[in-house]
Amino acid sequence: MTPAMLLPYRPVLGQPVLRRLLPGLATSALGDGLALVAVTWLALQLAPDGQRGTWTAFAVAAYTLPGAAGTLLLGRWLGARSGAQLAGWDATVRAAALGAIPVAHLAGVLDIGLYVALLAVSSLLHPWGSAGRFTLVAELLPQRHHLAANALLGVFGQAATIVGPPLAGLLIAWVGAVWVIAVDAASFAVLAVSYRLVVPAVRREGAARREGAARREGAVRREGAHREPAVRHQAGDQHEDGERKGGDQHEDGDRHENPPTAGPSRTSGFRIIGRDRSLLGLLALTFAFFFLFGPFYVAMPVHVTDDLHASAGTLAAYYTAFGVGSLLGGLLTGHLRGRPLRTTLAGIVVLFGAALMPLGLGAPVVLSLPAFALAGLVWAPYQPTATALFQRRAGTVDLPRVLAANGAVTVLAVPLGTMLGGPATAAFGARPTLLACAVTILALGLVAAVSAARPGPGAHNTERTGPAGPHDRPGPQTTGPRDRPGPQTTGPHDRPGRVKAPERVRPGAS
């Protein structure tokens, strides 16, 4: 790994709070990589004969899907919490629930029903925990570093999917699947302690940020006494660059928070997304993208065995290639800053669909295997980029609820697509199903690209994650591109801030 590749990540690694969290995040990611194998293997061992497939499906679903219910049921109580609190509570619940599995095993009471129930409890707060991690990024870092931070968090998971499964296989053969799950529980306990230790530091940074924002606001108000009053913008107004902010940004990249757009409730995150056409479109794109990839989990093994007449080793080679491509793509994601986010997302979907085409067209392994690795390469930047757009358009007050609502919807997408993949593969065959998914994903990306190129009013396609000029370091101001049209004057007291909109002429002026 070259120093140039790490350049976008240096500000993230230099943030004191995040630097203290990274070891815990890496540890829990490895635990998740182990769980990819251990969860299903233990279900197979506990399930009655003749029902193994059914109970294994229940176990896999229980490890992911209850989080959607947790988003709705717990939104009223969790919606206003800080990022570190949400992520810490999720890690605590997962450590406790997963840790109860080996305890129940030692007590001789672990059966398949109790096992699935404990897995369901462990995933109840998962969307809130994910929302908390990325809210913490938004709380601690300027906007221009969000994409790199999101990508770095994703790299841990991508590396774990490569290292975790083979390591889990060795550990299962040595000590058994139940103790691999115990290791997973211990990894979440480490993460929970890490979050608990940084909560005071996060609070101190938040207090210092609010104090600095108050000083800047006072200076702006004093300066404003020399100006003609400007029309104030409302929280959530569409900016010329398509951003939807919860507050003003200052020179250090921090946000001056406005009151949340809605009080915490079970559905407030969904209401916020529903009022923002850009976020609603992003949620629809993500759901459709993940849903259309779901059938691959069914059709791909059938294609390898029935169409290619290959072994399980060939299937493992495809997944390994995808994982290696994803890891490299994750490392490269930080270098995408400064590019329009919506255009980047559309391009990812188009390239992903194109990379899957060789599989659907029945290309030989020598061609389809590197194409699948390319699919992994372009897949990796999608989630960090989509999260960066959420971080940009929703202020940190609303961000936990918005991200949790997004997670509750998207977590259903792949399982629903996988459920569709079974009947589709049985009816049409594996290769036609793969081809249909690839073509549909490609078409979805083209539609998204057209939408990004021709946005609706007030949502111009210039959202950026990195410095693109003076917009990256705005100074205090009372008027600018975000303000609604109205009377405005400028004078010697004006300070340079954002790039100003074309100067408006007052009514009656010549």
Side-chain angles (χ1 to χ4, degrees):
M1 188 180 301
T2 64
M5 183 174 288
L6 292 176
L7 186 62
Y9 303 102
R10 288 179 181 174
V12 183
L13 298 172
Q15 212 291 328
V17 175
L18 291 178
R19 189 170 60 245
R20 291 165 60 185
L21 279 176
L22 290 180
L25 290 167
T27 302
S28 70
L30 179 59
D32 272 340
L34 298 173
L36 291 174
V37 177
V39 166
T40 54
W41 200 263
L42 185 56
L44 290 170
Q45 292 177 335
L46 295 175
D49 292 336
Q51 302 179 25
R52 289 184 175 181
T54 300
W55 280 107
T56 300
F58 283 157
V60 172
Y63 198 56
T64 55
L65 297 184
T71 301
L72 291 173
L73 297 176
L74 303 174
R76 186 181 302 276
W77 295 276
L78 300 181
R81 303 297 179 178
S82 70
Q85 286 178 315
L86 291 174
W89 290 345
D90 172 48
T92 301
V93 169
R94 289 174 83 86
L98 294 175
I101 293 173
V103 172
H105 171 72
L106 290 175
V109 297
L110 183 64
D111 59 15
I112 188 64
L114 178 59
Y115 176 59
V116 170
L118 289 173
L119 289 177
V121 172
S122 74
S123 67
L124 194 60
L125 296 185
H126 185 57
W128 290 107
S130 178
R133 285 196 303 276
F134 294 112
T135 299
L136 186 61
V137 167
E139 290 171 344
L140 295 175
L141 290 172
Q143 186 185 91
R144 61 188 179 275
H145 299 313
H146 288 175
L147 180 59
N150 298 343
L152 186 61
L153 297 185
V155 163
F156 290 144
Q158 289 145 6
T161 60
I162 299 173
V163 177
L167 180 59
L170 294 175
L171 291 175
I172 289 172
W174 183 30
V175 296
V178 69
W179 298 111
V180 176
I181 291 180
V183 173
D184 188 21
S187 73
F188 279 108
V190 171
L191 182 60
V193 172
S194 300
Y195 276 117
R196 183 65 188 90
L197 292 176
V198 302
V199 165
V202 173
R203 288 174 177 169
R204 286 194 299 270
E205 289 207 11
R209 189 165 57 248
R210 288 190 295 272
E211 182 180 352
R215 287 198 301 267
R216 287 189 293 267
E217 184 177 2
V220 169
R221 287 177 176 175
R222 288 191 298 272
E223 182 183 349
H226 300 285
R227 301 187 189 182
E228 180 180 352
V231 179
R232 296 182 61 189
H233 69 276
Q234 295 180 354
D237 283 350
Q238 295 290 339
H239 299 201
E240 289 191 358
D241 61 356
E243 295 179 27
R244 182 179 184 273
K245 297 248 186 211
D248 297 333
Q249 271 204 335
H250 300 288
E251 292 183 4
D252 58 358
D254 295 331
R255 283 194 183 101
H256 176 205
E257 298 290 344
N258 287 324
T261 59
S265 70
R266 292 181 178 180
T267 60
S268 59
F270 296 99
R271 291 202 307 269
I272 295 168
I273 293 175
R275 288 197 298 266
D276 188 313
R277 290 176 57 189
S278 181
L279 293 185
L280 188 60
L282 173 59
L283 178 59
L285 174 64
T286 302
F287 182 87
F289 184 29
F290 291 2
F291 175 80
L292 291 171
F293 186 60
F296 270 79
Y297 288 102
V298 178
M300 186 71 179
V302 178
H303 172 65
V304 169
T305 56
D306 293 358
D307 298 333
L308 300 180
H309 305 290
S311 65
T314 302
L315 180 62
Y318 275 106
Y319 287 141
T320 301
F322 189 91
V324 172
S326 296
L327 179 59
L328 180 58
L331 291 172
L332 294 175
T333 300
H335 295 268
L336 297 177
R337 66 174 189 164
R339 301 186 180 277
L341 296 182
R342 291 198 299 154
T343 302
T344 300
L345 291 171
I348 289 170
V349 178
V350 169
L351 291 174
F352 189 81
L356 296 179
M357 291 289 287
L359 279 171
L361 293 173
V365 175
V366 69
L367 295 179
S368 59
L369 186 64
F372 205 54
L374 177 62
L377 179 74
V378 299
W379 169 274
Y382 184 89
Q383 197 60 45
T385 305
T387 303
L389 186 53
F390 275 107
Q391 290 165 328
R392 172 164 297 190
R393 295 188 66 87
T396 52
V397 175
D398 292 330
L399 191 57
R401 286 171 282 162
V402 169
L403 288 178
N406 172 70
V409 174
T410 56
V411 75
L412 301 174
V414 172
L416 291 175
T418 304
M419 290 172 60
L420 176 65
T425 302
F428 306 109
R431 191 171 65 81
T433 300
L434 294 173
L435 181 60
C437 290
V439 171
T440 310
I441 290 172
L442 180 60
L444 174 68
L446 292 175
V447 171
V450 171
S451 176
R454 300 175 58 186
H460 299 288
N461 184 32
T462 56
E463 304 102 337
R464 295 183 178 273
T465 56
H471 290 278
D472 190 58
R473 295 185 63 81
Q477 66 177 47
T478 56
T479 62
R482 296 181 294 185
D483 295 331
R484 297 177 176 175
Q488 171 178 319
T489 59
T490 57
H493 297 283
D494 292 331
R495 293 182 182 177
R498 291 180 180 265
V499 173
K500 294 185 178 180
E503 189 158 340
R504 303 174 179 88
V505 179
R506 289 177 293 161
S510 56

